[in-house]
Amino acid sequence: MFISHFNNLLALPKPKMCCTPSLSAVSTDHGGKKTMHDSEKALLLCSGETKKRISEMFNKVELSVSSYDTAWVAMVPSLNSPGVPYFPQCLNWVLDNQLPDGSWGLMDRPLFLVKDTLSSTLASVLALKRWNIGEEHVNNGIDFITSNFASATDEKQHTPIGFDIIFPGMIEYAQEMGINLHLGPTALNSMMQTRDLELQGGTASNSEGRKMYLAYVAEGLRNEQDWKEIMKYQRKNGSLFNSPSTTAAAAAHLHDDNCLNYLHLTLERFGNAVPTAYPLDIYTQLCMVDSLESLGIARYFTREIKSVLDKIHSCWLMKDEEIFLDIATCAMAFRILRMHGYDISSDVLAQYGKEGFSNTLAGYLKDTSAVLELYRASDFMFPDELFLAEHKSWSNDLLKEELSKGTMHANRLSEQIRKEVNVALNYPYYANLPRLENRRSIEHYDTNNLRILKTSYRPINLDNKDLLKLAVEDFNLCQLIHGKELNQLEKYGLYFCFNIFWDTMFNNDKRLL
């Protein structure tokens, strides 16, 4: 039965790859010594180069910068001279990074991210107009917004977090500045009605999660926001929610030194522009470790992985806000650290029961990524951690509910997170066969690496194509080795079975004689 099942696994079609080894790549000479063919040497050389590039990815996390957030930082006025920008380098970056079509944002953006581009473009137009610079850039940006404004109410377009509040708020700010966006009243009224409905908030209007959400998108509310009230969400690093745009808006209204210091430090790290969230180092490194393990290639990077996890473990023990104030990061860190044998307590996850989760920013947004990570983390509970069993139950129900609706919101794009939820629900960790899990991961792996919060971003030092390439090469090489071993098992297994049968019959015959 085992050989039959193993044959079935080997018979599965191989994932596509640039160079697949044939079963004749390794052969045996007349003396019984194994020899390696050129195709096998080429494969190992190719794998070695890929491994080197992946190893270098551990050294430093790099994120794509955000036109949207950089524009908001550029709008912060100087403390001593309100008529000039506090961060002129950001204003210069906005001037230098308009795209040929008049927009700002990711150059290679997908067609379903026009809302994201509209936000980035309008924020950049506001920044330039705020300081009366770049008239031609402003006019080209306005032309792009006017031409693509219909996408702002298109439900087929992916909607960034807070878009329905922030974008209308920026339109009102543009009108106050005297900017004519040439927008039709019908589409504009529809957008304002959508914003009003969201601001009413329904039954969740007084929840802590909603208060955090309105604080997170505070730049879209401007004077309607109680800025001193939202400062209770300020983190030790001076930011609000690790968001440069929210922090910049608060700095513009309150001239808070800690906000300004956070923006200074972020610019020191990234140059003349900022990402849409910072820091994200721990989350990004955890995602990389998780990808390497699910793809079956973590064994090539044990030293690098141990170094990363040792640092994250130290951050866990120090209760680092980068871990403990983000549910997805916290749950993923717990799962991966415990899976690698680190002695960590699950107490921090106790607060994220069904009710506790709903009172967080992720809970209010119904962030499927965060729910999925809590669900996965519950697989690593000890017998006395009964609350993790409760997490398992409610997160399982919520994931199934969101899956049936087909409307998932997450840091990652909808289709990819839907695939991950499907796999998690149908193939529990404790019931997985590693090589089958690796194969599923290879088939579902997202090489695009695009993620979205208020605006889209990529971890630019993590090349998912390299990870997938090595995983495919490794999977096919393992198939080759297992196939040869199976041939040997079949050959010698039958021989030994025949000998045992013959010896038994012979011994029985001797006893009979």
Side-chain angles (χ1 to χ4, degrees), residues 115 172 270 378:
K115 289 183 181 181
E172 290 182 340
F270 292 91
S378 63

Side-chain angles (χ1 to χ4, degrees), residues 3 487-500:
I3 290 179
N487 289 336
Q488 296 295 318
L489 282 172
E490 288 179 328
K491 178 181 176 182
Y492 291 107
L494 290 175
Y495 174 76
F496 288 133
C497 285
F498 177 77
N499 274 343
I500 292 170

